[in-house]
């Protein structure tokens, strides 16, 4: 193999071939000299079984797969831990949103992290508190308005003449009993009409 390549003028070469039934790698390099040294025209030839030549590469490959497998397992667990750290607070916020949607404004949100999810939980909790306060104030205002309306209705009902109260659009908001008698309608048939 080498003689044929040297005769053809090759200075460096290698080949994988069979020799005595064994897979072998042969490599050669002809001395070329350097600067003003012409060289002695020597040729270095190395013949080694392929199994011996590639054994270190195989060992490195096995070690690399072992290391990469360990890194893969480590990364897998890190991803699981991180996803749970993110998903659990989001699940709590979701459950709280469902409860608030059902009208339970006393729901507690126990997310204590200092990241964006914790900030979102604090804002969500403040929103629920504000909503509860607004609903409570609205109920109080509605109760006070109903009480004033009932009081006004009692005063209107004792009057012997027809009395009505209109809103800015001209719709009847209150009418006394005498007015219903005069018009011949029930109160619910008159209130809200133009």
């Amino acid at each position: 193999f080498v003689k044929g390549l040297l005769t053809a003028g090759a200075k460096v070469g290698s080949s994988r071939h069979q020799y005595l039934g064994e897979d072998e790698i042969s490599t050669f390099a002809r001395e070329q000299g350097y600067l003003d040294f012409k060289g002695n025209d020597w040729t270095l030839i190395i013949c080694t079984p392929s199994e011996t030549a590639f054994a270190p590469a195989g060992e490195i490959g096995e070690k690399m797969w072992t290391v990469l497998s360990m890194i893969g397992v480590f990364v897998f667990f890190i991803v699981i831990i991180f996803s749970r750290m993110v998903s659990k607070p989001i699940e709590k916020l979701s459950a709280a949103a469902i409860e608030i949607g059902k009208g339970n404004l006393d729901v507690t949100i126990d997310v204590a992290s200092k990241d964006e999810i914790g900030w979102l939980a604090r804002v969500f909790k403040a929103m629920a508190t504000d909503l509860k306060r607004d609903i409570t104030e609205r109920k109080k205002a509605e109760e006070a308005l109903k009480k004033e309306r009932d009081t006004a209705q009692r005063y209107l009902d004792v009057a012997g003449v027809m009395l009505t109260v209109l809103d800015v659009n001209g719709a009847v908001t209150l009418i006394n009993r005498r007015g219903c008698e005069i018009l011949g309608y029930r109160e619910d048939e008159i209130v809200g009409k133009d």
Side-chain angles (χ1 to χ4, degrees):
F1 160 74
V2 174
K3 283 182 182 178
L5 291 173
L6 290 171
T7 307
K11 296 187 188 268
V12 190
S14 66
S15 172
R16 188 171 183 174
H17 54 89
Q18 291 291 321
Y19 179 72
L20 300 176
E22 190 176 335
D23 194 32
E24 188 174 79
I25 296 178
S26 296
T27 304
F28 73 93
R30 180 177 272 175
E31 180 188 28
Q32 298 178 29
Y34 183 72
L35 296 175
D36 62 343
F37 175 67
K38 301 282 187 219
N40 294 323
D41 201 30
W42 287 18
T43 303
L44 175 63
I45 302 171
I46 299 174
C47 297
T48 186
S50 297
E51 185 178 305
T52 305
F54 291 124
E59 290 173 10
I60 289 174
E62 289 174 14
K63 289 178 183 177
M64 187 177 355
W65 280 112
T66 302
V67 169
L68 288 176
S69 297
M70 290 170 49
I71 290 172
V73 168
F74 179 73
V75 167
F76 176 74
F77 283 115
I78 292 295
V79 166
I80 287 175
I81 290 168
F82 182 73
S83 66
R84 287 184 185 242
M85 287 174 54
V86 171
S87 66
K88 287 292 181 189
I90 291 175
E91 287 174 9
K92 289 178 182 179
L93 283 174
S94 177
I98 290 169
E99 285 299 312
I100 288 174
K102 292 177 182 176
N104 179 8
L105 298 176
D106 295 322
V107 67
T108 58
I109 304 165
D110 59 344
V111 176
S113 64
K114 293 184 171 119
D115 57 4
E116 290 82 4
I117 294 172
W119 174 82
L120 181 62
R122 289 187 295 280
V123 169
F124 194 82
K125 186 176 181 178
M127 178 194 68
T129 302
D130 290 347
L131 185 59
K132 183 177 179 180
R133 185 191 68 239
D134 291 348
I135 288 173
T136 303
E137 289 175 2
R138 183 176 182 173
K139 283 182 181 178
K140 285 180 183 177
E142 286 174 357
E143 288 172 6
L145 183 62
K146 184 179 183 307
K147 189 175 181 182
E148 289 177 9
R149 179 185 167 95
D150 290 345
T151 301
Q153 188 70 46
R154 277 198 309 269
Y155 286 125
L156 289 174
D157 285 345
V158 293
V161 294
M162 178 174 129
L163 294 172
T164 60
V165 177
L166 306 175
D167 66 11
V168 294
N169 297 320
V172 177
T173 57
L174 286 174
I175 188 165
N176 68 347
R177 211 175 306 144
R178 181 71 182 136
C180 291
E181 291 170 359
I182 292 171
L183 295 174
Y185 292 103
R186 293 186 319 268
E187 182 183 352
D188 62 333
E189 293 176 319
I190 297 173
V191 173
K193 301 287 192 253
D194 190 3

